[in-house]
Amino acid sequence: MIFTVAIDGPAAAGKGTISKAVAAQFGFAHLDTGLLYRAVGAKVLAGVDPVAAAQALDPHDLEDDSLRTPAVAQAASEIAVIAEVRSALVAFQRNFATRDGGAVLDGRDIGTVICPDASVKLFVTASAERRAERRFNELAAKGMKIAYDQVLTDVKTRDARDRNRAEAPLVAADDAVEIDTSDMTIEQAIDAAIEAVRSGLGAQ
Ligand code: CDP
């Protein structure tokens, strides 16, 4: 069975947590496509050319905990504006999306560019302040020392760059179900996503 769930939205909106829960609930595979851009960003910080890094990307490069730092997130959003970087990553994402047994992909352009025919599309948002608060708590739990104001600025900078780029900008697909998680608990957000996927499966 090919069944693709596309989950897009701005930085730290909860896409990762929701994607993992949806994948676990329905037995689908999950790809956090932000990791592809983070892995390229990390290589660029180490001095590699961005296009060469994207073309040579190995799935093992995604299994690196250091990809979760704010510095790598910023580098990721900087290289994510480059058309040749994005096109080098398309085939891997589409192959993953069409694997047998169902797949959840989360990112910025899954419902619009990578999988415009996805079975279910979700657009997960929250206010910049709520997202920064959640990301701040995540980073603090990992022992990273960073000020809340810095996290908020980082989130806003990345959002603006992601929304305003020419190539695959961050925007909700016309047929996406929007979930604003500003005033939801994570359980409520997960329930809303599972409900949308269940009704998509029912419509098949
Ligand atoms: O986890 P968080 O939402 O903070 O970020 P991420 O999903 O890991 O993505 C890091 C950066 O990669 C984003 O700010 C985007 O610039 C870029 N990205 C993208 O352009 N397209 C995607 N499908 C996924 C991420």
Side-chain angles (χ1 to χ4, degrees):
M1 173 198 65
I2 292 173
F3 190 91
T4 310
V5 181
I7 304 187
D8 292 304
K15 302 180 300 288
T17 309
I18 291 172
S19 299
K20 283 193 197 91
V22 167
Q25 172 77 27
F26 297 100
F28 298 159
H30 170 226
L31 177 65
D32 171 356
T33 66
L35 283 180
L36 301 173
Y37 295 89
R38 284 173 182 259
V40 174
K43 291 201 183 225
V44 170
L45 290 177
V48 181
D49 169 75
V51 177
Q55 287 170 345
L57 202 67
D58 184 290
H60 293 298
D61 296 339
L62 310 182
E63 297 157 10
D64 183 346
D65 272 352
S66 69
L67 298 182
R68 298 285 178 194
T69 64
V72 171
Q74 286 301 329
S77 84
E78 283 166 21
I79 57 84
V81 306
I82 305 169
E84 294 90 330
V85 165
R86 304 199 71 83
S87 60
L89 303 176
V90 168
F92 179 77
Q93 295 174 84
R94 289 199 178 136
N95 284 338
F96 193 98
T98 52
R99 61 168 54 198
D100 195 25
V104 182
L105 285 81
D106 74 282
R108 300 292 185 289
D109 61 340
I110 308 304
T112 49
V113 174
I114 302 297
C115 305
D117 298 325
S119 323
V120 175
K121 298 180 188 179
L122 305 178
F123 195 77
V124 181
T125 62
S127 70
E129 288 71 19
R130 288 292 285 129
R131 291 186 286 120
E133 195 182 306
R134 291 174 190 158
R135 180 54 48 91
F136 171 78
N137 289 337
E138 249 171 61
L139 294 171
K142 286 187 195 156
M144 237 172 268
K145 288 199 175 44
I146 185 164
Y148 166 80
D149 285 350
Q150 183 62 52
V151 177
L152 180 61
T153 305
D154 283 357
V155 157
K156 286 183 174 170
T157 307
R158 225 145 43 85
D159 283 356
R161 203 182 284 128
D162 291 348
R163 288 203 164 99
N164 296 321
R165 69 186 175 212
E167 214 54 49
L170 168 66
V171 61
D174 289 339
D175 51 350
V177 174
E178 287 210 31
I179 303 178
D180 183 336
T181 67
S182 302
D183 299 317
M184 284 182 179
T185 62
I186 190 60
E187 289 78 17
Q188 289 171 322
I190 288 171
D191 284 350
I194 286 177
E195 198 41 51
V197 174
R198 192 166 281 136
S199 82
L201 276 167
Q204 281 238 312

